[in-house]
Amino acid sequence: MPNIRSRRRLSAAVCTVLALTGAAACGSSDDGGSGSAGAAHKKVRLVTGVKSDPFYITMSCAAQEEAKAKGMDFTTDGSAQWDVSVQRPLIDSVAAARPDGLLVSPVDTSALTPSLRQIQSSGTKIALVDTEVTDASIGITRVSSDNEKGGRVAADALAKLMNEKGSVIVISVKPGVSTTDARIKGFTEEMSKYPGIKVLPTLYDNDLPATAASQIQSTLAAHPDLGGVFAGNTNTGKGIATGLKQAGKQGAVKVAAFDAEPEEIEALKAGTLQVLVAQDPAGIGRQAVDQLAAAFEGKPVQKSVGTTMVAITKANMGDPSVSKYFYKSDC
Ligand code: T6T
């Protein structure tokens, strides 16, 4: 019968082996510090760009599911609108609770950096999801689509639909948003390859569909040769679809829009929008949680993770390999 001392040595040896395999159940093996074992029970928060936006809802649902599978204490919230003065207090209040991890989609490339720097220096691991800030020191990982590439895909699709002639306009959210700025860059650079197409000055709608609807109608009045529109995101796409219908121009003016939220899908079916560049917001949410988990577990973390995009048209939208990218309005 081994004595107590040897029993303890045996028990400690067994615990070490189990801990390495992640199957430890030997009392409190958690050292409590930043290197504490695993992602389980880590407090992780997600703050999205706009809470009611199906892109961010789809992202949040997937992040929540992945975090739950890893045993994290996970909650999500989002700004009421695309506005620094609305998102900053939300970020600061979430951070005040000193979470272990924060996934965040900053609505501006620089205005929120002081808050994020403070949060990071207090020990919270930050994952930038979808949008990012210019300061490269912020975030242990950045997960997003290749937005410039998405802009190029939209330009080529639209040029083809316009038979490479006429005027085209870009309507987007507001300057200083990393994702939509990159889409516009990709789009306008690619469109310059089509000499028969004139790119009009970009307009910004502050993520308000009604503004986009009004802007497309005034553009139609000023440019009768308008043949195409690139919508930088969901609300812009929705607004342009409404404006073209009101002007009786649906189908006559071709539209390539980013994203694939329910109303955009309906507009695609109706022929008011012609191409949707869909992202994979669920993949963004899942991969960001996985990168935070890797950090908690002391494993290598990818500084930058690119996710899929797919061009959706009326012709391919019935294919399950395409429709799986449709965004959701709830989990
Ligand atoms: O297009 C997405 C997102 O990628 C972008 O950063 C902001 O707008 C959306 O959320 C769609 O509304």
Side-chain angles (χ1 to χ4, degrees), residues 50 53 55-56 82 130-131 145 147 173 177 179-180 183 207 232-235 258-259 279 327:
V50 175
D53 180 335
F55 172 88
Y56 289 121
W82 198 275
D130 176 51
T131 55
S145 307
N147 287 288
V173 182
V177 178
T179 49
T180 48
R183 293 167 197 167
D207 208 32
N233 78 327
T234 55
N235 279 347
F258 236 83
D259 297 306
Q279 303 182 72
Y327 302 176

Side-chain angles (χ1 to χ4, degrees), residues 92-112:
D92 290 344
S93 67
V94 165
R98 303 285 300 272
D100 298 294
L102 172 66
L103 292 81
V104 58
S105 305
V107 296
D108 185 89
T109 50
S110 56
L112 296 159

Side-chain angles (χ1 to χ4, degrees), residues 175-294:
V177 178
S178 63
T179 49
T180 48
D181 285 353
R183 293 167 197 167
I184 296 169
K185 180 173 185 291
F187 180 88
T188 47
E189 286 176 357
E190 190 71 10
M191 226 13 141
S192 67
K193 296 177 182 174
Y194 300 95
I197 293 179
K198 179 186 175 191
V199 181
L200 301 171
T202 296
L203 298 177
Y204 294 98
D205 62 15
N206 285 318
D207 208 32
L208 299 171
T211 303
S214 158
Q215 287 171 330
I216 194 61
Q217 293 186 64
S218 47
T219 302
L220 281 164
H223 301 278
D225 72 330
L226 185 71
V229 191
F230 174 44
N233 78 327
T234 55
N235 279 347
T236 305
K238 275 166 37 177
I240 287 166
T242 301
L244 289 175
K245 275 193 291 194
Q246 288 167 345
K249 288 285 188 180
Q250 68 270 30
V253 175
K254 306 303 181 189
V255 184
F258 236 83
D259 297 306
E261 58 102 40
E263 288 188 47
E264 287 181 297
I265 298 298
E266 289 311 308
L268 191 66
K269 284 178 189 166
T272 312
L273 301 180
Q274 280 68 43
V275 182
L276 299 180
V277 179
Q279 303 182 72
D280 181 10
I284 293 173
R286 247 191 316 274
Q287 301 230 33
V289 167
D290 291 347
Q291 291 304 315
L292 276 183

Side-chain angles (χ1 to χ4, degrees), residues 128-144:
L128 294 173
V129 286
D130 176 51
T131 55
E132 58 188 39
V133 294
T134 309
D135 183 340
S137 70
I138 302 295
I140 62 166
T141 187
R142 297 178 173 208
V143 186
S144 76

